[in-house]
Short mmCIF file of all heavy atoms in Angstrom, two decimals:
data_model
loop_
_atom_site.label_atom_id
_atom_site.label_comp_id
_atom_site.label_asym_id
_atom_site.label_seq_id
_atom_site.Cartn_x
_atom_site.Cartn_y
_atom_site.Cartn_z
N MET A 1 -6.92 10.84 1.05
CA MET A 1 -5.99 9.74 0.90
C MET A 1 -4.56 10.30 0.92
O MET A 1 -4.22 11.17 0.10
CB MET A 1 -6.23 9.00 -0.42
CG MET A 1 -5.32 7.78 -0.63
SD MET A 1 -5.70 6.97 -2.20
CE MET A 1 -5.26 8.26 -3.37
N LYS A 2 -3.75 9.82 1.86
CA LYS A 2 -2.37 10.27 2.00
C LYS A 2 -1.44 9.06 1.86
O LYS A 2 -1.70 8.00 2.44
CB LYS A 2 -2.17 10.93 3.37
CG LYS A 2 -0.76 11.47 3.59
CD LYS A 2 -0.64 12.09 4.96
CE LYS A 2 0.77 12.62 5.20
NZ LYS A 2 0.90 13.20 6.56
N VAL A 3 -0.38 9.22 1.10
CA VAL A 3 0.54 8.11 0.81
C VAL A 3 1.95 8.44 1.27
O VAL A 3 2.44 9.55 1.04
CB VAL A 3 0.53 7.79 -0.71
CG1 VAL A 3 1.50 6.66 -1.01
CG2 VAL A 3 -0.86 7.44 -1.19
N GLU A 4 2.58 7.48 1.95
CA GLU A 4 3.97 7.60 2.39
C GLU A 4 4.68 6.30 2.06
O GLU A 4 4.06 5.24 1.91
CB GLU A 4 4.04 7.86 3.90
CG GLU A 4 3.31 9.12 4.35
CD GLU A 4 3.26 9.20 5.88
OE1 GLU A 4 3.58 8.21 6.54
OE2 GLU A 4 2.85 10.28 6.39
N ALA A 5 6.02 6.34 1.98
CA ALA A 5 6.79 5.15 1.68
C ALA A 5 8.12 5.22 2.42
O ALA A 5 8.69 6.31 2.59
CB ALA A 5 7.01 5.00 0.17
N TYR A 6 8.64 4.05 2.83
CA TYR A 6 9.87 3.96 3.59
C TYR A 6 10.66 2.74 3.14
O TYR A 6 10.11 1.74 2.68
CB TYR A 6 9.57 3.83 5.10
CG TYR A 6 8.59 4.83 5.62
CD1 TYR A 6 7.22 4.51 5.73
CD2 TYR A 6 9.00 6.10 6.02
CE1 TYR A 6 6.30 5.43 6.20
CE2 TYR A 6 8.08 7.03 6.50
CZ TYR A 6 6.74 6.67 6.58
OH TYR A 6 5.84 7.59 7.05
N ILE A 7 11.99 2.83 3.30
CA ILE A 7 12.89 1.68 3.17
C ILE A 7 13.40 1.36 4.57
O ILE A 7 13.87 2.26 5.28
CB ILE A 7 14.06 1.97 2.21
CG1 ILE A 7 13.56 2.37 0.83
CG2 ILE A 7 14.99 0.76 2.13
CD1 ILE A 7 14.63 2.87 -0.09
N THR A 8 13.30 0.12 4.95
CA THR A 8 13.71 -0.25 6.31
C THR A 8 14.17 -1.71 6.32
O THR A 8 14.07 -2.41 5.30
CB THR A 8 12.54 -0.06 7.30
OG1 THR A 8 13.03 -0.21 8.63
CG2 THR A 8 11.42 -1.02 7.03
N ARG A 9 14.67 -2.12 7.48
CA ARG A 9 15.01 -3.53 7.68
C ARG A 9 14.07 -4.10 8.72
O ARG A 9 13.77 -3.47 9.73
CB ARG A 9 16.46 -3.68 8.15
CG ARG A 9 17.49 -3.43 7.02
CD ARG A 9 18.87 -3.94 7.41
NE ARG A 9 19.82 -3.80 6.36
CZ ARG A 9 20.02 -4.68 5.37
NH1 ARG A 9 19.26 -5.78 5.35
NH2 ARG A 9 20.91 -4.49 4.44
N LEU A 10 13.61 -5.32 8.43
CA LEU A 10 12.69 -5.99 9.34
C LEU A 10 13.34 -7.27 9.86
O LEU A 10 14.10 -7.93 9.14
CB LEU A 10 11.38 -6.33 8.64
CG LEU A 10 10.56 -5.16 8.10
CD1 LEU A 10 9.32 -5.64 7.38
CD2 LEU A 10 10.17 -4.22 9.25
N PRO A 11 13.09 -7.62 11.11
CA PRO A 11 13.67 -8.84 11.68
C PRO A 11 13.22 -10.06 10.91
O PRO A 11 12.08 -10.18 10.48
CB PRO A 11 13.15 -8.84 13.13
CG PRO A 11 11.95 -7.97 13.10
CD PRO A 11 12.22 -6.91 12.07
N GLU A 12 14.17 -11.00 10.72
CA GLU A 12 13.93 -12.29 10.05
C GLU A 12 13.61 -12.13 8.57
O GLU A 12 13.09 -13.05 7.94
CB GLU A 12 12.81 -13.05 10.75
CG GLU A 12 13.09 -13.33 12.23
CD GLU A 12 11.95 -14.10 12.88
OE1 GLU A 12 11.26 -14.87 12.18
OE2 GLU A 12 11.76 -13.92 14.10
N VAL A 13 13.91 -10.95 8.01
CA VAL A 13 13.80 -10.73 6.57
C VAL A 13 15.17 -10.40 6.06
O VAL A 13 15.82 -9.47 6.53
CB VAL A 13 12.80 -9.61 6.25
CG1 VAL A 13 12.74 -9.38 4.74
CG2 VAL A 13 11.42 -9.94 6.77
N GLU A 14 15.64 -11.18 5.08
CA GLU A 14 17.04 -11.10 4.66
C GLU A 14 17.35 -9.76 4.00
O GLU A 14 18.39 -9.16 4.26
CB GLU A 14 17.34 -12.25 3.70
CG GLU A 14 18.77 -12.26 3.18
CD GLU A 14 19.02 -13.41 2.22
OE1 GLU A 14 18.12 -14.25 2.02
OE2 GLU A 14 20.13 -13.45 1.66
N ARG A 15 16.47 -9.29 3.14
CA ARG A 15 16.77 -8.11 2.35
C ARG A 15 16.11 -6.88 2.94
O ARG A 15 15.16 -7.00 3.71
CB ARG A 15 16.29 -8.29 0.90
CG ARG A 15 16.93 -9.46 0.16
CD ARG A 15 16.42 -9.46 -1.28
NE ARG A 15 17.01 -10.50 -2.08
CZ ARG A 15 16.44 -11.69 -2.34
NH1 ARG A 15 15.24 -11.96 -1.81
NH2 ARG A 15 17.04 -12.57 -3.09
N PRO A 16 16.54 -5.67 2.54
CA PRO A 16 15.82 -4.46 2.91
C PRO A 16 14.39 -4.51 2.34
O PRO A 16 14.13 -5.15 1.32
CB PRO A 16 16.63 -3.33 2.28
CG PRO A 16 17.99 -3.91 2.05
CD PRO A 16 17.79 -5.35 1.80
N VAL A 17 13.46 -3.81 2.98
CA VAL A 17 12.04 -3.88 2.61
C VAL A 17 11.55 -2.48 2.27
O VAL A 17 11.83 -1.51 2.98
CB VAL A 17 11.22 -4.48 3.76
CG1 VAL A 17 9.73 -4.45 3.43
CG2 VAL A 17 11.66 -5.90 4.06
N LEU A 18 10.78 -2.40 1.19
CA LEU A 18 10.07 -1.17 0.83
C LEU A 18 8.64 -1.29 1.38
O LEU A 18 7.94 -2.26 1.09
CB LEU A 18 10.01 -1.00 -0.68
CG LEU A 18 9.13 0.15 -1.19
CD1 LEU A 18 9.73 1.51 -0.82
CD2 LEU A 18 8.91 0.06 -2.69
N VAL A 19 8.23 -0.32 2.17
CA VAL A 19 6.88 -0.29 2.74
C VAL A 19 6.14 0.93 2.22
O VAL A 19 6.66 2.05 2.29
CB VAL A 19 6.91 -0.26 4.29
CG1 VAL A 19 5.49 -0.24 4.84
CG2 VAL A 19 7.68 -1.44 4.85
N VAL A 20 4.97 0.72 1.64
CA VAL A 20 4.11 1.80 1.16
C VAL A 20 2.88 1.85 2.07
O VAL A 20 2.22 0.82 2.27
CB VAL A 20 3.69 1.60 -0.31
CG1 VAL A 20 2.80 2.73 -0.78
CG2 VAL A 20 4.92 1.48 -1.20
N LYS A 21 2.60 3.04 2.57
CA LYS A 21 1.50 3.22 3.54
C LYS A 21 0.48 4.22 2.98
O LYS A 21 0.86 5.29 2.51
CB LYS A 21 2.07 3.74 4.86
CG LYS A 21 1.03 4.11 5.92
CD LYS A 21 1.73 4.68 7.14
CE LYS A 21 0.75 5.17 8.19
NZ LYS A 21 1.44 5.75 9.36
N ALA A 22 -0.79 3.83 2.98
CA ALA A 22 -1.87 4.70 2.51
C ALA A 22 -2.86 4.89 3.64
O ALA A 22 -3.29 3.92 4.27
CB ALA A 22 -2.55 4.11 1.29
N VAL A 23 -3.22 6.15 3.90
CA VAL A 23 -4.21 6.49 4.93
C VAL A 23 -5.42 7.07 4.23
O VAL A 23 -5.33 8.15 3.62
CB VAL A 23 -3.64 7.48 5.96
CG1 VAL A 23 -4.70 7.80 7.01
CG2 VAL A 23 -2.39 6.92 6.62
N VAL A 24 -6.55 6.36 4.29
CA VAL A 24 -7.78 6.76 3.61
C VAL A 24 -8.70 7.43 4.64
O VAL A 24 -8.89 6.91 5.74
CB VAL A 24 -8.49 5.56 2.97
CG1 VAL A 24 -9.72 6.01 2.18
CG2 VAL A 24 -7.52 4.80 2.06
N GLU A 25 -9.24 8.58 4.28
CA GLU A 25 -10.10 9.33 5.22
C GLU A 25 -11.34 8.53 5.58
O GLU A 25 -11.83 7.73 4.78
CB GLU A 25 -10.50 10.67 4.59
CG GLU A 25 -9.34 11.64 4.42
CD GLU A 25 -9.81 12.97 3.86
OE1 GLU A 25 -11.04 13.15 3.70
OE2 GLU A 25 -8.96 13.84 3.60
N PRO A 26 -11.86 8.74 6.78
CA PRO A 26 -13.09 8.02 7.19
C PRO A 26 -14.24 8.25 6.23
O PRO A 26 -14.46 9.36 5.74
CB PRO A 26 -13.38 8.61 8.59
CG PRO A 26 -12.04 9.11 9.06
CD PRO A 26 -11.32 9.59 7.85
N GLY A 27 -14.99 7.18 6.01
CA GLY A 27 -16.14 7.28 5.09
C GLY A 27 -15.78 6.97 3.64
O GLY A 27 -16.67 6.85 2.80
N TRP A 28 -14.48 6.86 3.34
CA TRP A 28 -14.03 6.59 1.97
C TRP A 28 -13.31 5.24 1.94
O TRP A 28 -12.87 4.71 2.97
CB TRP A 28 -13.09 7.69 1.49
CG TRP A 28 -13.76 9.01 1.32
CD1 TRP A 28 -13.99 9.93 2.30
CD2 TRP A 28 -14.31 9.53 0.13
NE1 TRP A 28 -14.66 11.01 1.78
CE2 TRP A 28 -14.86 10.80 0.45
CE3 TRP A 28 -14.40 9.09 -1.18
CZ2 TRP A 28 -15.49 11.61 -0.49
CZ3 TRP A 28 -15.00 9.89 -2.13
CH2 TRP A 28 -15.56 11.13 -1.79
N HIS A 29 -13.16 4.69 0.75
CA HIS A 29 -12.41 3.45 0.58
C HIS A 29 -11.75 3.45 -0.80
O HIS A 29 -12.16 4.20 -1.71
CB HIS A 29 -13.30 2.22 0.74
CG HIS A 29 -14.43 2.15 -0.27
ND1 HIS A 29 -15.67 2.70 -0.04
CD2 HIS A 29 -14.49 1.60 -1.52
CE1 HIS A 29 -16.45 2.51 -1.10
NE2 HIS A 29 -15.74 1.84 -2.00
N ILE A 30 -10.73 2.62 -0.94
CA ILE A 30 -10.08 2.39 -2.24
C ILE A 30 -10.12 0.89 -2.50
O ILE A 30 -10.56 0.11 -1.64
CB ILE A 30 -8.62 2.90 -2.24
CG1 ILE A 30 -7.80 2.19 -1.17
CG2 ILE A 30 -8.58 4.42 -2.06
CD1 ILE A 30 -6.32 2.57 -1.17
N TYR A 31 -9.69 0.48 -3.68
CA TYR A 31 -9.80 -0.93 -4.07
C TYR A 31 -8.42 -1.60 -4.06
O TYR A 31 -7.38 -0.95 -4.10
CB TYR A 31 -10.48 -1.04 -5.43
CG TYR A 31 -11.88 -0.47 -5.39
CD1 TYR A 31 -12.14 0.84 -5.82
CD2 TYR A 31 -12.93 -1.21 -4.88
CE1 TYR A 31 -13.42 1.37 -5.74
CE2 TYR A 31 -14.22 -0.69 -4.81
CZ TYR A 31 -14.45 0.60 -5.24
OH TYR A 31 -15.72 1.12 -5.14
N SER A 32 -8.41 -2.91 -4.03
CA SER A 32 -7.19 -3.69 -3.85
C SER A 32 -6.35 -3.73 -5.12
O SER A 32 -6.82 -3.41 -6.22
CB SER A 32 -7.53 -5.11 -3.43
OG SER A 32 -8.13 -5.81 -4.52
N LEU A 33 -5.10 -4.18 -4.94
CA LEU A 33 -4.22 -4.42 -6.09
C LEU A 33 -4.74 -5.55 -6.95
O LEU A 33 -4.50 -5.61 -8.15
CB LEU A 33 -2.80 -4.76 -5.63
CG LEU A 33 -1.99 -3.68 -4.89
CD1 LEU A 33 -0.65 -4.25 -4.50
CD2 LEU A 33 -1.82 -2.44 -5.73
N THR A 34 -5.42 -6.49 -6.32
CA THR A 34 -5.88 -7.71 -7.03
C THR A 34 -7.32 -7.64 -7.48
O THR A 34 -7.91 -8.66 -7.83
CB THR A 34 -5.71 -8.92 -6.08
OG1 THR A 34 -6.43 -8.65 -4.86
CG2 THR A 34 -4.24 -9.15 -5.76
N GLN A 35 -7.92 -6.44 -7.48
CA GLN A 35 -9.30 -6.30 -7.94
C GLN A 35 -9.44 -6.83 -9.36
O GLN A 35 -8.69 -6.43 -10.25
CB GLN A 35 -9.73 -4.85 -7.87
CG GLN A 35 -11.14 -4.59 -8.41
CD GLN A 35 -12.19 -5.30 -7.59
OE1 GLN A 35 -12.29 -5.11 -6.38
NE2 GLN A 35 -12.98 -6.13 -8.24
N GLY A 36 -10.38 -7.74 -9.57
CA GLY A 36 -10.52 -8.38 -10.88
C GLY A 36 -11.10 -7.45 -11.94
O GLY A 36 -11.64 -6.39 -11.65
N PRO A 37 -10.97 -7.84 -13.21
CA PRO A 37 -11.50 -7.04 -14.32
C PRO A 37 -13.01 -6.98 -14.32
O PRO A 37 -13.68 -7.87 -13.77
CB PRO A 37 -10.95 -7.74 -15.57
CG PRO A 37 -10.75 -9.16 -15.13
CD PRO A 37 -10.34 -9.09 -13.69
N GLY A 38 -13.55 -5.96 -14.96
CA GLY A 38 -14.99 -5.81 -15.06
C GLY A 38 -15.61 -5.11 -13.86
O GLY A 38 -16.82 -4.90 -13.82
N GLY A 39 -14.76 -4.72 -12.89
CA GLY A 39 -15.26 -4.02 -11.71
C GLY A 39 -14.66 -2.65 -11.57
O GLY A 39 -14.31 -2.02 -12.58
N PRO A 40 -14.50 -2.15 -10.36
CA PRO A 40 -13.93 -0.82 -10.15
C PRO A 40 -12.44 -0.79 -10.49
O PRO A 40 -11.82 -1.83 -10.74
CB PRO A 40 -14.17 -0.56 -8.65
CG PRO A 40 -14.27 -1.92 -8.06
CD PRO A 40 -14.90 -2.79 -9.08
N VAL A 41 -11.87 0.41 -10.49
CA VAL A 41 -10.45 0.60 -10.85
C VAL A 41 -9.57 0.05 -9.73
O VAL A 41 -9.65 0.51 -8.61
CB VAL A 41 -10.15 2.07 -11.11
CG1 VAL A 41 -8.67 2.27 -11.43
CG2 VAL A 41 -11.02 2.60 -12.25
N PRO A 42 -8.71 -0.94 -10.03
CA PRO A 42 -7.81 -1.45 -8.98
C PRO A 42 -6.70 -0.46 -8.65
O PRO A 42 -6.35 0.38 -9.47
CB PRO A 42 -7.24 -2.72 -9.60
CG PRO A 42 -7.30 -2.48 -11.07
CD PRO A 42 -8.53 -1.64 -11.29
N THR A 43 -6.20 -0.56 -7.44
CA THR A 43 -5.05 0.27 -7.05
C THR A 43 -3.80 -0.23 -7.77
O THR A 43 -3.64 -1.43 -8.00
CB THR A 43 -4.86 0.19 -5.51
OG1 THR A 43 -6.03 0.74 -4.89
CG2 THR A 43 -3.63 0.96 -5.07
N LYS A 44 -2.93 0.69 -8.15
CA LYS A 44 -1.66 0.36 -8.82
C LYS A 44 -0.51 1.03 -8.06
O LYS A 44 -0.54 2.24 -7.85
CB LYS A 44 -1.68 0.85 -10.27
CG LYS A 44 -2.76 0.27 -11.15
CD LYS A 44 -2.43 -1.16 -11.55
CE LYS A 44 -3.47 -1.69 -12.54
NZ LYS A 44 -3.18 -3.06 -12.93
N ILE A 45 0.45 0.23 -7.68
CA ILE A 45 1.67 0.77 -7.06
C ILE A 45 2.80 0.53 -8.05
O ILE A 45 3.13 -0.61 -8.36
CB ILE A 45 1.97 0.09 -5.72
CG1 ILE A 45 0.84 0.35 -4.74
CG2 ILE A 45 3.29 0.59 -5.15
CD1 ILE A 45 1.01 -0.34 -3.40
#
């Protein structure tokens, strides 16, 4: 799992945008920010 982040401007978006990018190796997975309680560990940014 490799993580990168950038600040950029996007068309039709008024403010600058923070973009966080995660690359997960094949065969592996991570869980969402919105993963509910009682399950696996949710991702936290």
